[in-house]
Amino acid sequence: MKSLILTIAICFVALCSCHKEEPVLTGSDYLIFGHYYGECFGERCIEIYKLEEKQVSEDTLDRYPGSSAFYQGQYVKLSQQKFDSVKDLIDYFPKVLLSEKDKVIGMPDAGDWGGLYIEYKVKDVRRFWLIDQMKSNVPSVYHQFIDKVNEKIRILE
């Protein structure tokens, strides 16, 4: 009986001490996220934001992102209230995305339904992706993140 209790206690401590290592934004780390629509007019067609450890900023250039290079934006800091509303987005980042070989996932904006631009820079890892907004064109492992990114964009608009 004592050995059973001891075994259960050891398993409990082992399980409690294990935690999933989530990305955390510190120092020069960031997550750039936004949407883009090619067949669209107006300021809301391209919205790109940069989330850092203590602030969120909005890009003022509103350029259509490409798949050949990182997005080059000019960012203006937004309010603390807006930062507080989106600071948890990094918690939803699917780490499996880091193992994607392609920069383009699905067919972003192919049918005027838009795409997402995601850029991840944590520690020594810096990558970007263009992700289809039509979830049927994207692996289901990314669906929750797509929804969360769109939710945060709506909050910031």
Side-chain angles (χ1 to χ4, degrees):
M1 183 68 170
K2 286 183 182 181
S3 64
L4 177 62
I5 293 172
L6 182 60
T7 303
I8 292 172
I10 289 171
C11 289
F12 179 75
V13 169
L15 288 173
C16 289
S17 64
C18 292
H19 63 85
K20 214 164 76 172
E21 187 175 321
E22 298 294 335
V24 176
L25 301 177
T26 60
S28 62
D29 298 340
Y30 59 80
L31 180 68
I32 295 176
F33 63 98
H35 66 211
Y36 57 94
Y37 297 89
E39 297 295 322
C40 177
F41 298 99
E43 203 277 322
R44 295 175 62 167
C45 298
I46 300 173
E47 294 290 353
I48 309 270
Y49 301 94
K50 184 176 187 179
L51 178 62
E52 297 173 279
E53 178 182 15
K54 297 179 180 174
Q55 69 180 36
V56 65
S57 304
E58 181 177 5
D59 171 55
T60 59
L61 297 179
D62 294 332
R63 292 186 184 145
Y64 195 89
S67 62
S68 62
F70 289 95
Y71 186 82
Q72 299 297 315
Q74 289 183 343
Y75 297 93
V76 175
K77 183 179 176 183
L78 299 177
S79 71
Q80 182 67 37
Q81 179 185 11
K82 288 192 175 196
F83 170 73
D84 290 340
S85 297
V86 300
K87 67 183 177 184
D88 67 336
L89 181 59
I90 192 70
D91 298 339
Y92 295 91
F93 181 85
K95 290 198 69 171
V96 68
L97 191 54
L98 295 172
S99 59
E100 280 286 344
K101 292 181 183 5
D102 296 322
K103 293 177 185 170
V104 179
I105 301 170
M107 299 176 293
D109 205 27
D112 301 331
W113 54 72
L116 295 178
Y117 178 82
I118 305 295
E119 184 175 328
Y120 175 95
K121 196 286 187 190
V122 174
K123 297 180 183 168
D124 295 333
V125 177
R126 184 177 182 218
R127 303 262 324 266
F128 77 93
W129 304 268
L130 304 176
I131 302 175
D132 202 325
Q133 286 271 40
M134 176 121 4
K135 289 193 286 189
S136 60
N137 295 333
V138 177
S140 61
V141 69
Y142 303 129
H143 292 183
Q144 180 186 21
F145 184 61
I146 290 168
D147 291 342
K148 195 54 79 168
V149 167
N150 283 313
E151 173 190 314
K152 299 302 185 181
I153 292 168
R154 281 190 298 277
I155 290 169
L156 294 172
E157 285 183 314

